[in-house]
Amino acid sequence: MSIAIYIAVMAVVTYLIRMLPFTLFRKKINSRFIRSFLYYIPYAVLAAMTIPAIFYATGNVLTSVIGAVVAVILAYFKLPLIVVALAASAAALLAGFIF
């Protein structure tokens, strides 16, 4: 198949995903359950995409766990994102050298 067909299909699917909620839900959603469900979907999807990538990024799960633990600890103390990312990367790199 042509690459143009793949791009066209991806464009249509992306457009439908963004357009369908606007056409299907014209009234305000009053159900607390559905509103809270829709509120948490982006966080759940982000976690589902990020967590596996964290643990398989280095090729060694142990070094990934060490980097993730460092990131969680630094994020708990509300350090800036760049500090957390660099420290977690450095911890995973150092753990890779050690192990």
Side-chain angles (χ1 to χ4, degrees):
M1 291 185 104
S2 172
I3 188 102
I5 294 173
Y6 289 132
I7 293 173
V9 169
M10 287 189 305
V12 169
V13 169
T14 302
Y15 178 74
L16 286 175
I17 288 172
R18 295 171 191 271
M19 186 257 324
L20 282 177
F22 287 116
T23 58
L24 296 177
F25 302 112
R26 291 184 183 251
K27 296 180 183 176
K28 183 176 179 179
I29 299 172
N30 294 325
S31 170
R32 284 182 65 197
F33 175 75
I34 293 176
R35 286 177 50 172
S36 66
F37 176 77
L38 291 174
Y39 178 79
Y40 287 110
I41 284 178
Y43 301 110
V45 170
L46 181 64
M49 292 180 351
T50 305
I51 298 298
I54 289 171
F55 291 116
Y56 295 112
T58 62
N60 185 351
V61 177
L62 180 61
T63 59
S64 298
V65 168
I66 291 171
V69 167
V70 168
V72 168
I73 291 170
L74 295 178
Y76 178 76
F77 289 113
K78 297 182 181 176
L79 291 172
L81 179 60
I82 189 72
V83 173
V84 173
L86 290 175
S89 298
L93 181 67
L94 290 174
F97 287 141
I98 293 171
F99 299 115

